[in-house]
Amino acid sequence: MYKHILVPVDGSDLSTKSFREGVELAKAIGARVTAVSVVIASHAPRGAGTAMLGKHVLEDAAEEYLKGVAAIAREAGVAVETFYVVGDSPHEEIIAAAKARGCDLICMGSHGRSLLAGLFLGNEAASVITGCRIPVLIVR
């Protein structure tokens, strides 16, 4: 069975829900959980001197959110690790994190966009599913 579950989180209600589900699954099967947040560098404000400041604000927000999800896992008695990465492609960063950390399951939320909307808007969950061989559990 699964021993190490990666749960990507982004601060949304859905990612918190998927994290809670991942923690409950981990607790039931005796696995550990790793939460990763992808800080998207291109979302930092642009302008004279603001790009670095904006990036630090995003990183600080990710760290703060990760502290909260770590508390959820600890409260449930599940071993947890958290970290964030900076990149422009969340699905690539999620897959790389799962491989680098030796995770054998990815548990993530999906907003359930239609196939057409997913094609045009870029559905991260679909990209993770098609981009790696690690099993993916989708939470809605």
Side-chain angles (χ1 to χ4, degrees), residues 34-48:
T34 296
V36 61
S37 182
V38 179
V39 175
I40 303 173
S42 62
H43 286 185
R46 299 288 176 209

Side-chain angles (χ1 to χ4, degrees), residues 32-116:
R32 61 190 167 114
V33 173
T34 296
V36 61
S37 182
V38 179
V39 175
I40 303 173
S42 62
H43 286 185
R46 299 288 176 209
T50 62
M52 282 307 291
L53 177 62
K55 181 179 163 208
H56 288 302
V57 169
L58 294 174
E59 291 172 346
D60 289 348
E63 283 182 353
E64 197 61 33
Y65 178 70
L66 288 167
K67 287 178 188 175
V69 296
I72 293 169
R74 282 190 214 99
E75 192 173 291
V78 172
V80 62
E81 174 188 2
T82 65
F83 70 101
Y84 70 88
V85 294
V86 178
D88 281 320
S89 177
H91 73 274
E92 289 177 1
E93 297 295 344
I94 292 165
I95 293 167
K99 289 178 180 177
R101 305 285 171 139
C103 298
D104 51 10
L105 178 68
I106 300 170
C107 176
M108 65 187 297
S110 174
H111 294 284
R113 293 186 180 117
S114 69
L115 178 60
L116 189 57

